[in-house]
């Protein structure tokens, strides 16, 4: 984020110009200007017109809880180890008494909003749990304790739910700060064992955003490098560019303090301010006078540069740093609000409108069914995959081809496709079994059909398995498409998926039964009128004479053990020489070639009133909640954008006047 000392806007330029024109911090010779109200008056009278609008818009955004939308706001976050004097510093700035107790007295994030107010009667109130509670100044500590108990529960537990204290009082600086629980490592009675982790998580939540200004409260009595608050702030702000340190209890350990704040061994980029807090029943004005006297007269503390001592200097630095931060972050805040608003509006527009009538429900249902139908046509028919470009499991036509290819491989690699094994053995046996009254030179039809039936029976499970895989895949795609198109309407999704599944099961059963019928038809008769079959059979039969000669071995020695047949490969023939009847071999060869041709071609061919409708379109609670969340978010972001736009217009106008 960079140093907050940069004067990068017209507003901040005016603030710095004002500081340069002011006299040095008054000495003890002018005690009348060291009172709390007196030392702060010049800051307020000069800064208020420029800073108050900046703070107002940030406070408005914080009140709108825009941070829940992921928009970070510039915030002064006050951290410190337990008993470091954190509450006393805030009391000095606010001019009111905050809760005091042994152990942790701040159990929730306390947003302190200070507003300089000319009225002689201060206005104080607490904001928490959606309510605003006016408070009288003497009862402010009691009221904070009561509110804390309501937010965090009675006892000593802590909570990350904040409460806000608004102080409108004459003489206070215009500041908004968040006071966080003091860091403790050892739980006391009544605190959870992981109290340190809980406090650490809350602190890190607030100081991590680069927009946060870290006000690190350090006791002069300890080594700064050992402070847990320093260790935490260094984790998120290594170079200290957004960390300011305020050193308390200087009267208890004045020796060597000047060296500690000038050496800066712990990287406090925004510098140190040393203060003396109230002691006992001192009034705030008395405390400021004692503070000025201490830094003027103490032998050790008087060596510290007057530009870094006193509560009034702390207030002045915080106002300047805060104004710089707001002015610097405001353009980015506007940009982030606009981007988040546009994104939410776009997302809301994509959501289906809420259905308020049966006609709306019917229309929406028909629209969903039509959209799902079109998606299924694309995926399962036309091969268009634009709706699922990355999910190739939904690319239906391509997956169908894969399944067909696997089916073809299984068919070609099954036992029945091995045409050379025990060549002609089955055919000869079939012919012998079918001998009877027959016409000369005609093959018995029964022999062919018997062999065909056996082969078809052995591979009949393959087309059925393919059909089942097809329908399993189709069911998955249909369910996925219906889910996507009806996601916003839970009841419709359930009903549509149930109806689609039932319909799919009926069609699946019909399809598989049809496949079984086709398989049975193949067993009944040979469909040998196919021209491809006749062409293949004629080509194979041209090898018959050569085959018979190889078996008989006429004019050959030694006799061949095998013969190479086109379309079948190397065929063993020795086992056929035991058949002396050449005619039976010729018939068996013919029968085999008919079966080979047939097999090759076979493998190559491979509610009345609408109430039911309305109920189906009832949205799921998650969708209703999401729509409402988006609407609320858009409302907050629009209000935030308008609020920021007004202050931005003011800044631009003011900058123009400076030119």
């Amino acid at each position: 984020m960079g140093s907050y000392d940069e004067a990068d806007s017209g507003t901040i330029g005016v603030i710095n110009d004002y500081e340069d024109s002011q006299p040095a911090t008054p000495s003890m010779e002018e005690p009348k200007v060291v009172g709390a109200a007196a030392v702060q008056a010049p800051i307020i009278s000069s800064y208020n017109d420029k800073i108050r609008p900046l703070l107002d818009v940030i406070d408005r955004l914080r009140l709108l809880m825009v941070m829940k939308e992921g928009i970070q706001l510039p915030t002064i976050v006050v951290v410190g180890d337990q008993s470091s004097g954190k509450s006393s510093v805030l009391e000095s700035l606010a001019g009111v008494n905050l809760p005091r107790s042994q152990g942790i007295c701040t159990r929730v994030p306390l947003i302190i909003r200070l507003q300089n107010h000319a009225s002689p009667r201060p206005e104080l109130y607490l904001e928490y749990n959606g309510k605003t509670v006016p408070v009288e100044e003497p009862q402010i500590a009691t009221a904070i304790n009561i509110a804390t108990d309501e937010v965090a529960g009675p006892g000593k537990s802590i909570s990350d739910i904040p409460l806000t204290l608004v102080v409108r009082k004459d003489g206070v600086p215009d500041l908004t700060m968040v006071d966080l629980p003091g860091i403790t490592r050892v739980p006391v009675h009544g605190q959870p064992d992981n109290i340190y982790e809980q406090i650490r998580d809350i602190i890190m939540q607030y100081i991590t955003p680069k927009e946060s200004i870290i006000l690190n409260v350090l006791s002069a009595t300890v080594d700064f490098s050992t402070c847990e608050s320093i260790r935490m702030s260094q984790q998120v702000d290594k170079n200290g560019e957004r960390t300011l340190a305020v050193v308390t209890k200087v009267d208890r350990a004045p020796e060597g303090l000047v060296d500690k704040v000038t050496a800066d061994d712990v990287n406090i980029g925004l510098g140190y301010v040393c203060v003396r807090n109230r002691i006992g029943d001192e009034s705030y004005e008395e405390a400021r006078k004692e503070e000025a006297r201490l830094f003027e007269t103490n032998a050790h503390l008087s060596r510290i540069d007057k530009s870094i001592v006193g509560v009034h200097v702390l207030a002045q630095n915080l106002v300047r740093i805060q104004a710089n931060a707001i002015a610097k972050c405001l353009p980015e805040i506007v940009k982030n609000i606009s981007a988040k608003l546009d994104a939410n509006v776009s997302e809301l527009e994509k959501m289906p409108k809420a259905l308020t009538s049966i006609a709306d429900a019917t229309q929406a249902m028909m629209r969903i069914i039509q959209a799902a139908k079109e998606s299924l046509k694309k995926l399962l028919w036309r091969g268009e995959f634009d709706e699922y470009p990355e999910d190739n499991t939904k690319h239906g036509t391509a997956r169908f081809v894969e399944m067909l290819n696997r089916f073809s491989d299984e068919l070609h690699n099954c036992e029945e496709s091995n045409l050379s094994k025990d060549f002609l053995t089955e055919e000869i046996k079939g012919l012998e079994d079918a001998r009877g009254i027959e016409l000369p030179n005609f093959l018995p039809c029964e022999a062919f059909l018997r062999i065909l039936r056996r082969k078809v029976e052995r591979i009949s499970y393959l087309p059925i398995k393919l059909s089942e895989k097809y329908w399993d895949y189709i069911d998955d795609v249909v369910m996925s498409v219906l889910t996507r198109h009806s996601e916003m309407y839970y009841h419709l999704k359930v009903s549509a998926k149930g109806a689609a599944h039932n319909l799919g099961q009926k069609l699946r059963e019909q399809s598989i039964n049809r496949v079984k019928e086709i398989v049975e038809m193949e067993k009944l008769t040979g469909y040998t009128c196919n021209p491809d079959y006749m062409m293949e059979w004629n080509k194979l039969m041209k090898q018959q004479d050569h085959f018979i000669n190889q078996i008989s071995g006429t004019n050959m020695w030694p006799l061949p053990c095998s013969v190479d047949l086109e379309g079948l490969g190397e065929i063993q023939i020795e086992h056929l020489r035991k058949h002396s009847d050449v005619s039976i071999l010729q018939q068996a060869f013919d029968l085999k070639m008919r079966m080979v041709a047939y097999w090759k071609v076979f493998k190559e061919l491979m509610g009345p009133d609408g109430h039911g409708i309305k109920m189906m379109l009832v949205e799921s609670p998650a969708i209703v909640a999401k729509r409402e969340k988006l609407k609320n978010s858009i409302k907050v972001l629009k209000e935030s954008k308008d609020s920021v736009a007004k202050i931005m217009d003011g800044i631009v106008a003011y900058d123009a006047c400076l030119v």
Side-chain angles (χ1 to χ4, degrees), residues 605-620:
L605 291 178
M606 302 298 313
D609 60 352
H611 180 70
I613 294 176
K614 186 176 180 180
M615 284 301 296
M616 287 193 296
L617 273 297
V618 173
E619 295 176 300
S620 68

Side-chain angles (χ1 to χ4, degrees), residues 14-202:
V14 171
I15 294 171
N16 289 340
D17 290 343
Y18 171 81
E19 290 171 350
D20 293 339
S21 68
Q22 297 305 300
T25 304
S27 68
M28 286 297 293
E29 296 176 354
E30 301 175 301
K32 63 180 180 180
V33 295
V34 297
V39 295
Q40 293 172 11
I43 300 175
I44 298 163
S45 61
S46 174
Y47 293 174
N48 189 62
D49 290 344
K50 306 301 177 293
I51 292 176
R52 188 69 260 161
L54 292 173
L55 273 180
D56 284 344
V57 71
I58 295 300
D59 288 340
R60 173 62 178 163
L61 297 182
R62 186 174 285 110
L63 187 62
L64 289 170
M65 294 184 287
V66 74
M67 297 176 78
K68 289 187 176 181
E69 305 297 333
I71 310 297
Q72 297 298 332
L73 303 177
T75 304
I76 297 176
V77 182
V78 186
V79 298
D81 291 5
Q82 187 173 305
S83 302
S84 62
K86 187 163 54 70
S87 295
S88 297
V89 170
L90 294 173
E91 285 182 341
S92 297
L93 291 170
V96 296
N97 295 334
L98 298 176
R100 298 295 187 92
S101 66
Q102 293 295 322
I104 299 176
C105 55
T106 303
R107 300 194 291 122
V108 299
L110 176 62
I111 301 173
I112 303 176
R113 194 156 69 233
L114 306 180
Q115 298 177 358
N116 183 49
H117 186 48
S119 172
R121 180 177 174 81
E123 294 180 11
L124 298 94
Y125 51 90
L126 289 169
E127 297 173 343
Y128 60 99
N129 290 348
K131 58 186 177 181
T132 300
V133 180
V135 181
E136 294 297 326
E137 187 169 355
Q139 282 76 47
I140 189 64
T142 302
I144 291 175
N145 286 331
I146 293 173
T148 299
D149 287 344
E150 185 174 330
V151 171
K156 299 181 180 180
S157 298
I158 65 171
S159 170
D160 61 354
I161 301 175
L163 62 88
T164 300
L165 168 64
V166 178
V167 178
R168 304 184 68 200
K169 186 177 181 181
D170 187 25
V172 300
D174 284 299
L175 286 172
T176 297
M177 301 169 289
V178 180
D179 181 26
L180 299 180
I183 304 168
T184 179
R185 280 193 170 275
V186 180
V188 298
H189 180 69
Q191 291 178 338
D193 292 338
N194 65 339
I195 187 66
Y196 169 76
E197 288 76 13
Q198 290 186 31
I199 295 174
R200 177 198 61 199
D201 292 345
I202 293 176

Side-chain angles (χ1 to χ4, degrees), residues 574-600:
E574 283 186 290
H575 64 285
L576 298 175
R577 290 197 171 98
K578 64 183 179 181
H579 299 282
S580 57
D581 189 348
V582 174
S583 64
I584 194 70
L585 290 175
Q586 291 174 329
Q587 288 182 353
F589 185 86
D590 186 356
L591 186 60
K592 183 71 173 181
M593 295 307 106
R594 292 174 189 269
M595 188 60 62
V596 169
Y598 192 95
W599 207 249
K600 182 175 181 180

Side-chain angles (χ1 to χ4, degrees), residues 446 449-457 523-524:
E446 180 60 29
L449 290 177
R450 186 177 297 178
I451 295 172
L452 176 62
R453 290 190 190 104
R454 283 201 294 266
K455 285 185 173 291
V456 172
E457 182 65 34
K523 296 179 184 179
L524 295 177

